[in-house]
Amino acid sequence: MWMKNILLLGAITAVIAGCSSVSLDSAPVDDRSRGAGAAGSTPVTNVSPNTVAPVDDGKAAQGAIANVPRVVYFDYDSYVIKPEFQALIDAHARHLRADRSRKVVIEGHTDERGGREYNLALGQRRAEAVRRALGLLGVADSQVEAVSFGKEKPAVAGDVEAVWAKNRRAEISYR
């Protein structure tokens, strides 16, 4: 048990010390270099560390998180969280830690390329990457559920790279 606590403390320290991304494994994804780069990603530069303050009033807390984006975008065939989304994840983690009764569902999505089963698995890996990042920041496992919709619920219709980039995402949905 103490070894698990030491490992968890080390992981949290690494994230706080500036770890720029979270991966579910260390193996690189084969087609990551072929993809979109940062096309379609939304930088999260307007989120300050004090965006979400712990408060007791549920409505005030929801108002504080309302200005924080809820979508993490991914590169083609990847489930590695890009550095520009770390502030977004940090803000949601603070919000969830402030009230342990809050729950979220992380919905993983892919673009339309690839088979149904492959995309469901990739969407699940994307949702799990965000779930694990929240967990490393102290959010309880019981507060977060990760699900995949694969390519079944595109955010934008079309068959060009700019559209595909908007569909490669994980959405944070409060319940």
Side-chain angles (χ1 to χ4, degrees), residues 56-88:
D56 293 328
D57 181 352
K59 290 182 182 179
Q62 288 295 35
I65 198 71
N67 296 329
V68 179
R70 296 177 188 222
V71 181
V72 176
Y73 293 99
F74 294 87
D75 287 335
Y76 175 73
D77 201 27
S78 174
Y79 53 93
V80 175
I81 297 172
K82 296 188 258 183
E84 62 257 34
F85 296 106
Q86 193 60 50
L88 175 153

Side-chain angles (χ1 to χ4, degrees), residues 17-110:
C19 180
S20 64
S21 65
V22 175
S23 173
L24 294 180
D25 62 14
S26 59
V29 177
D30 294 341
D31 292 333
R32 195 174 309 152
S33 62
R34 292 187 341 189
S41 60
T42 306
V44 186
T45 56
N46 61 343
V47 179
S48 71
N50 298 320
T51 300
V52 181
V55 292
D56 293 328
D57 181 352
K59 290 182 182 179
Q62 288 295 35
I65 198 71
N67 296 329
V68 179
R70 296 177 188 222
V71 181
V72 176
Y73 293 99
F74 294 87
D75 287 335
Y76 175 73
D77 201 27
S78 174
Y79 53 93
V80 175
I81 297 172
K82 296 188 258 183
E84 62 257 34
F85 296 106
Q86 193 60 50
L88 175 153
I89 292 171
D90 291 343
H92 286 285
R94 281 192 303 276
H95 185 67
L96 289 164
R97 285 192 321 259
D99 182 353
R100 297 291 181 168
S101 68
R102 290 186 186 116
K103 296 186 184 298
V104 294
V105 174
I106 311 298
E107 300 172 352
H109 300 272
T110 66

